[in-house]
Amino acid sequence: MPDSSRFTRRGVLAAAAAGAVTASIVALGGWRVTRRPVLSPETGSGSGAQAGDALDRRDLAIPRLDTGTVGADGVRAFELVAGAGTSSFVAGTQTPTWGYNGAFGGPTLRAAQGERVRVVVRNELAEVTTTHWHGMKVPAAADGGPHQPIVPGDSWTAEWTVEQPAATLWYHPHNHGTTEAHVYRGLAGLFLIEDEKPPADLPLPRDYGVDDVPVVVTDRSFTADGAFDERRRDASGMLGDTLLVNGTVSPRFSATRELTRLRILNGSTARSYRFQLDTGPLVLVATDSGLLPKPVSVAGLTLTPGERAEVIVALEPGQTAMLRSVPHTLGLLSTTERASGTRDTFDVLELSRANADDSAPPGTASTAPATLTEMNAWVAAGGAFAAPLTDPPEPDVRRTVTLQDNKINHRRMNMARIDEVVTVGSRERWLITNEHFLPHNLHIHNARFRVYSIDGRKPTAELRGWKDTVYAPPSRTVIIDVEFGTSTDPHMPYMFHCHLLQHEDQGMMAQFVVVRPGETAGPLDTQAIGDGGSHAGH
């Protein structure tokens, strides 16, 4: 591939005397066709590589696992504090950041299907924020969207019963008009759901931080003094030139077992990734909202903002593998593809396994280390990670969703307006068409869905599982069959929106309520509506 169409390692980082981040301007910039510094290295012998360009690799940071505290009432309780701090992504440089229970990112929360969960979120920032449980089926009042603002110094409590099977979900701000900035500054974390009663012999890696590893992939640009640069905006949003994985630049993970389960989240605000492994195919075991019945071998995975996937990587003793993001297409015009970063190449995560496993943690009876042979044999004998994926029944309701210039169905977001009304328990088929030339995806709150077709064709293997976010290529129609949560509230809405967060902030979002059969929807009357929040007329 020509050097002009990829990020190279040339002139990667010069540590200035004052500790400022500086770099040669070598990378394709994007919408404004500018040039940007690159702090994420590439390996190999590309035409732009020079000796000594590679950054030193750092051990992958693993977010703290928080399983909460189960009280006398049987509720699993968590506490999150959103606050400001500083983080060091490059030695000698401090970056102002935001985080939950720390300076950047957030702990990984974990609960099980059927449990009652309570999360208290305190806002110690100087701005109003919210905390949304992305992918979770929750009561509307606990959703953490723009209708549940948390003012500085105040706390908000969300409580619900987990009603969905094992999945890798996440949480992040969802304040109307400022979601992109709040996520970009660092407010995000994973929320893992376990099955109520997983098979005792389930051969999936389940030892958090050892063979079950979070991989939160984000991108950032930096100013000369090391701060996140929020001024670099392309048509898709803030497209960064530096890759962070769990907040680590140029990360490596030292595997101590044959199988490593990577829970990959595209936590970027605008950039999509095409993940590939340089040693062979990826073994896909889960998509956004749940495990697949059995593993599927895929050449790679494309994840747009908000999407997740779980993959298994098998390593022999002494073997090293590189997870990369490679050039891909989103079905855009050539100039728009370049501006959206799809022509860029990044090393994401180096994985290596020592020659000897003497130091490998033994695991417990419930997290016994699995091998590829054991996993394949278990599946061949009839084992299943999740319920079979059967063809959906005919829908009760069909809805058309069109995506335009920061509009859904030709209207910008209005927090006082109910755009759709869903009857609880109904089977719905949504027809999503991107009528715009820019990339857009669609995320639906309080729901999971199966992709029925894309432009009349059945979805590829990587899109056949349960999802809550899906990419919609320009001039194409994506058809999905949607399953909503069981809670109802005619007066409190959920969102559906583009998860390229600049688009969401600019009004590419709409609202629906879930009602009982025969129940009248509305009116909406929340504090957030009283405080403003309409994009009508923008």
PDB file of all heavy atoms in Angstrom, residues 374-390:
ATOM      1  N   GLU A 374     -10.007 -28.701  23.582  1.00  0.00           N
ATOM      2  CA  GLU A 374     -11.149 -28.908  24.479  1.00  0.00           C
ATOM      3  C   GLU A 374     -12.371 -28.131  24.009  1.00  0.00           C
ATOM      4  O   GLU A 374     -13.500 -28.645  24.035  1.00  0.00           O
ATOM      5  CB  GLU A 374     -10.771 -28.486  25.898  1.00  0.00           C
ATOM      6  CG  GLU A 374      -9.759 -29.399  26.577  1.00  0.00           C
ATOM      7  CD  GLU A 374      -9.257 -28.833  27.890  1.00  0.00           C
ATOM      8  OE1 GLU A 374      -9.490 -27.631  28.154  1.00  0.00           O
ATOM      9  OE2 GLU A 374      -8.634 -29.590  28.648  1.00  0.00           O
ATOM     10  N   MET A 375     -12.160 -26.881  23.581  1.00  0.00           N
ATOM     11  CA  MET A 375     -13.292 -26.074  23.140  1.00  0.00           C
ATOM     12  C   MET A 375     -13.945 -26.678  21.903  1.00  0.00           C
ATOM     13  O   MET A 375     -15.178 -26.811  21.841  1.00  0.00           O
ATOM     14  CB  MET A 375     -12.829 -24.641  22.843  1.00  0.00           C
ATOM     15  CG  MET A 375     -13.975 -23.695  22.498  1.00  0.00           C
ATOM     16  SD  MET A 375     -13.447 -21.969  22.285  1.00  0.00           S
ATOM     17  CE  MET A 375     -12.600 -22.093  20.700  1.00  0.00           C
ATOM     18  N   ASN A 376     -13.141 -27.079  20.930  1.00  0.00           N
ATOM     19  CA  ASN A 376     -13.694 -27.661  19.710  1.00  0.00           C
ATOM     20  C   ASN A 376     -14.389 -28.982  19.991  1.00  0.00           C
ATOM     21  O   ASN A 376     -15.449 -29.278  19.417  1.00  0.00           O
ATOM     22  CB  ASN A 376     -12.591 -27.848  18.675  1.00  0.00           C
ATOM     23  CG  ASN A 376     -12.081 -26.523  18.128  1.00  0.00           C
ATOM     24  OD1 ASN A 376     -12.788 -25.522  18.149  1.00  0.00           O
ATOM     25  ND2 ASN A 376     -10.845 -26.512  17.640  1.00  0.00           N
ATOM     26  N   ALA A 377     -13.818 -29.785  20.877  1.00  0.00           N
ATOM     27  CA  ALA A 377     -14.428 -31.069  21.215  1.00  0.00           C
ATOM     28  C   ALA A 377     -15.751 -30.870  21.947  1.00  0.00           C
ATOM     29  O   ALA A 377     -16.728 -31.607  21.718  1.00  0.00           O
ATOM     30  CB  ALA A 377     -13.461 -31.904  22.061  1.00  0.00           C
ATOM     31  N   TRP A 378     -15.796 -29.890  22.819  1.00  0.00           N
ATOM     32  CA  TRP A 378     -17.021 -29.603  23.581  1.00  0.00           C
ATOM     33  C   TRP A 378     -18.148 -29.187  22.647  1.00  0.00           C
ATOM     34  O   TRP A 378     -19.283 -29.635  22.780  1.00  0.00           O
ATOM     35  CB  TRP A 378     -16.712 -28.502  24.596  1.00  0.00           C
ATOM     36  CG  TRP A 378     -17.783 -28.218  25.597  1.00  0.00           C
ATOM     37  CD1 TRP A 378     -18.031 -28.898  26.759  1.00  0.00           C
ATOM     38  CD2 TRP A 378     -18.743 -27.158  25.558  1.00  0.00           C
ATOM     39  NE1 TRP A 378     -19.081 -28.329  27.443  1.00  0.00           N
ATOM     40  CE2 TRP A 378     -19.530 -27.250  26.724  1.00  0.00           C
ATOM     41  CE3 TRP A 378     -19.004 -26.131  24.655  1.00  0.00           C
ATOM     42  CZ2 TRP A 378     -20.563 -26.367  27.006  1.00  0.00           C
ATOM     43  CZ3 TRP A 378     -20.037 -25.250  24.928  1.00  0.00           C
ATOM     44  CH2 TRP A 378     -20.806 -25.353  26.081  1.00  0.00           C
ATOM     45  N   VAL A 379     -17.837 -28.340  21.675  1.00  0.00           N
ATOM     46  CA  VAL A 379     -18.838 -27.896  20.705  1.00  0.00           C
ATOM     47  C   VAL A 379     -19.260 -29.053  19.811  1.00  0.00           C
ATOM     48  O   VAL A 379     -20.451 -29.250  19.527  1.00  0.00           O
ATOM     49  CB  VAL A 379     -18.297 -26.718  19.875  1.00  0.00           C
ATOM     50  CG1 VAL A 379     -19.254 -26.378  18.738  1.00  0.00           C
ATOM     51  CG2 VAL A 379     -18.082 -25.495  20.757  1.00  0.00           C
ATOM     52  N   ALA A 380     -18.295 -29.863  19.365  1.00  0.00           N
ATOM     53  CA  ALA A 380     -18.613 -30.997  18.491  1.00  0.00           C
ATOM     54  C   ALA A 380     -19.508 -32.009  19.196  1.00  0.00           C
ATOM     55  O   ALA A 380     -20.311 -32.705  18.546  1.00  0.00           O
ATOM     56  CB  ALA A 380     -17.321 -31.671  18.030  1.00  0.00           C
ATOM     57  N   ALA A 381     -19.398 -32.084  20.518  1.00  0.00           N
ATOM     58  CA  ALA A 381     -20.227 -33.017  21.285  1.00  0.00           C
ATOM     59  C   ALA A 381     -21.609 -32.457  21.589  1.00  0.00           C
ATOM     60  O   ALA A 381     -22.383 -33.102  22.310  1.00  0.00           O
ATOM     61  CB  ALA A 381     -19.508 -33.378  22.584  1.00  0.00           C
ATOM     62  N   GLY A 382     -21.917 -31.296  21.043  1.00  0.00           N
ATOM     63  CA  GLY A 382     -23.244 -30.725  21.236  1.00  0.00           C
ATOM     64  C   GLY A 382     -23.307 -29.568  22.203  1.00  0.00           C
ATOM     65  O   GLY A 382     -24.396 -29.031  22.464  1.00  0.00           O
ATOM     66  N   GLY A 383     -22.168 -29.141  22.739  1.00  0.00           N
ATOM     67  CA  GLY A 383     -22.167 -28.003  23.647  1.00  0.00           C
ATOM     68  C   GLY A 383     -22.471 -26.707  22.925  1.00  0.00           C
ATOM     69  O   GLY A 383     -22.165 -26.548  21.738  1.00  0.00           O
ATOM     70  N   ALA A 384     -23.096 -25.778  23.622  1.00  0.00           N
ATOM     71  CA  ALA A 384     -23.447 -24.479  23.031  1.00  0.00           C
ATOM     72  C   ALA A 384     -23.178 -23.384  24.038  1.00  0.00           C
ATOM     73  O   ALA A 384     -23.516 -23.509  25.216  1.00  0.00           O
ATOM     74  CB  ALA A 384     -24.912 -24.448  22.609  1.00  0.00           C
ATOM     75  N   PHE A 385     -22.559 -22.300  23.565  1.00  0.00           N
ATOM     76  CA  PHE A 385     -22.289 -21.157  24.428  1.00  0.00           C
ATOM     77  C   PHE A 385     -23.572 -20.395  24.764  1.00  0.00           C
ATOM     78  O   PHE A 385     -23.675 -19.744  25.794  1.00  0.00           O
ATOM     79  CB  PHE A 385     -21.319 -20.195  23.748  1.00  0.00           C
ATOM     80  CG  PHE A 385     -19.979 -20.778  23.418  1.00  0.00           C
ATOM     81  CD1 PHE A 385     -19.219 -20.259  22.387  1.00  0.00           C
ATOM     82  CD2 PHE A 385     -19.459 -21.841  24.139  1.00  0.00           C
ATOM     83  CE1 PHE A 385     -17.969 -20.783  22.072  1.00  0.00           C
ATOM     84  CE2 PHE A 385     -18.220 -22.380  23.837  1.00  0.00           C
ATOM     85  CZ  PHE A 385     -17.472 -21.853  22.793  1.00  0.00           C
ATOM     86  N   ALA A 386     -24.545 -20.421  23.847  1.00  0.00           N
ATOM     87  CA  ALA A 386     -25.785 -19.673  24.006  1.00  0.00           C
ATOM     88  C   ALA A 386     -26.897 -20.412  23.271  1.00  0.00           C
ATOM     89  O   ALA A 386     -26.651 -21.399  22.569  1.00  0.00           O
ATOM     90  CB  ALA A 386     -25.633 -18.251  23.463  1.00  0.00           C
ATOM     91  N   ALA A 387     -28.119 -19.910  23.429  1.00  0.00           N
ATOM     92  CA  ALA A 387     -29.271 -20.517  22.754  1.00  0.00           C
ATOM     93  C   ALA A 387     -29.103 -20.428  21.244  1.00  0.00           C
ATOM     94  O   ALA A 387     -28.477 -19.490  20.734  1.00  0.00           O
ATOM     95  CB  ALA A 387     -30.552 -19.814  23.184  1.00  0.00           C
ATOM     96  N   PRO A 388     -29.632 -21.398  20.496  1.00  0.00           N
ATOM     97  CA  PRO A 388     -29.516 -21.363  19.031  1.00  0.00           C
ATOM     98  C   PRO A 388     -30.102 -20.087  18.452  1.00  0.00           C
ATOM     99  O   PRO A 388     -31.052 -19.517  18.987  1.00  0.00           O
ATOM    100  CB  PRO A 388     -30.314 -22.590  18.589  1.00  0.00           C
ATOM    101  CG  PRO A 388     -30.356 -23.485  19.784  1.00  0.00           C
ATOM    102  CD  PRO A 388     -30.372 -22.574  20.971  1.00  0.00           C
ATOM    103  N   LEU A 389     -29.520 -19.647  17.344  1.00  0.00           N
ATOM    104  CA  LEU A 389     -30.011 -18.463  16.637  1.00  0.00           C
ATOM    105  C   LEU A 389     -31.008 -18.929  15.576  1.00  0.00           C
ATOM    106  O   LEU A 389     -30.622 -19.371  14.498  1.00  0.00           O
ATOM    107  CB  LEU A 389     -28.856 -17.692  16.007  1.00  0.00           C
ATOM    108  CG  LEU A 389     -27.823 -17.117  16.982  1.00  0.00           C
ATOM    109  CD1 LEU A 389     -26.622 -16.553  16.223  1.00  0.00           C
ATOM    110  CD2 LEU A 389     -28.447 -16.056  17.864  1.00  0.00           C
ATOM    111  N   THR A 390     -32.273 -18.887  15.903  1.00  0.00           N
ATOM    112  CA  THR A 390     -33.312 -19.341  14.983  1.00  0.00           C
ATOM    113  C   THR A 390     -33.818 -18.183  14.131  1.00  0.00           C
ATOM    114  O   THR A 390     -33.639 -17.007  14.483  1.00  0.00           O
ATOM    115  CB  THR A 390     -34.485 -19.943  15.762  1.00  0.00           C
ATOM    116  OG1 THR A 390     -35.001 -18.956  16.673  1.00  0.00           O
ATOM    117  CG2 THR A 390     -34.031 -21.162  16.558  1.00  0.00           C
TER     118      THR A 390
END
